[in-house]
């Protein structure tokens, strides 16, 4: 069984949402996805901030800022619906990376 890596997750996220997480665009939907991706990588892959930043075209200080401002992790935080949505989607891609879960992930990705 192949172990899911953060680079694989990035490729899946790009395909799922139809955007490139490494783009320099600062529109809210892009930033929300980058922040959620960074939090999933930090939580589930234990990647360094430098590694996470490299994957999304940012430096380690941006990832540190994302972590400090990750209010969307608190379910009661208002105004963070996009971040919360993307975090759940990206987290589920990691959780579904089991033999049974791959079926669901492939369904979500349209594979």
């Amino acid at each position: 069984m192949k172990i899911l890596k953060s680079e694989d997750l990035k490729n899946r996220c790009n395909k799922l949402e139809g955007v490139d997480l490494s783009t320099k665009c600062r529109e809210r939907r892009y930033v929300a996805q980058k922040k959620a991706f960074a939090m999933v990588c930090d939580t589930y892959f234990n990647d360094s901030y430098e590694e996470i930043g490299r994957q999304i075209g940012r430096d380690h200080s941006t990832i540190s800022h994302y972590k400090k401002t990750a209010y969307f992790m608190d379910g009661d935080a208002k105004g963070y619906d996009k971040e919360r949505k993307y975090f759940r989607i990206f987290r589920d891609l990691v959780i579904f990376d089991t033999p049974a879960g791959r079926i669901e992930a492939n369904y979500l990705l349209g594979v």
Side-chain angles (χ1 to χ4, degrees):
M1 177 170 124
K2 182 182 173 205
I3 297 172
L4 182 70
K5 296 185 176 163
S6 56
E7 188 70 35
D8 301 325
L9 177 64
K10 178 188 166 197
N11 294 333
R12 289 178 181 190
C13 294
N14 287 341
K15 184 176 181 182
L16 181 66
E17 292 300 317
V19 300
D20 182 8
L21 288 176
S22 60
T23 187
K24 296 285 184 183
C25 184
R26 296 188 324 183
E27 290 178 21
R28 184 169 181 200
R29 68 185 182 114
Y30 289 94
V31 173
Q33 291 179 44
K34 289 179 184 192
K35 187 183 280 191
F37 174 79
M39 295 308 299
V40 168
C41 287
D42 183 53
T43 304
Y44 293 98
F45 296 108
N46 202 24
D47 286 350
S48 69
Y49 289 0
E50 292 83 10
E51 176 63 22
I52 297 168
R54 183 191 60 75
Q55 292 185 53
I56 60 174
R58 298 289 179 213
D59 63 10
H60 72 280
S61 62
T62 303
I63 307 308
S64 178
H65 175 73
Y66 285 168
K67 187 161 181 157
K68 289 177 187 174
T69 60
Y71 305 119
F72 65 89
M73 300 289 282
D74 178 11
D76 297 332
K78 302 276 190 251
Y80 293 94
D81 296 333
K82 286 184 187 286
E83 288 90 344
R84 198 171 5 261
K85 171 189 145 188
Y86 292 126
F87 178 78
R88 288 178 181 149
I89 290 170
F90 298 166
R91 177 202 61 202
D92 289 349
L93 288 175
V94 174
I95 292 171
F96 286 141
D97 197 47
T98 63
R102 264 190 222 105
I103 295 167
E104 181 68 21
N106 286 339
Y107 171 77
L108 289 173
L109 290 169
V111 176

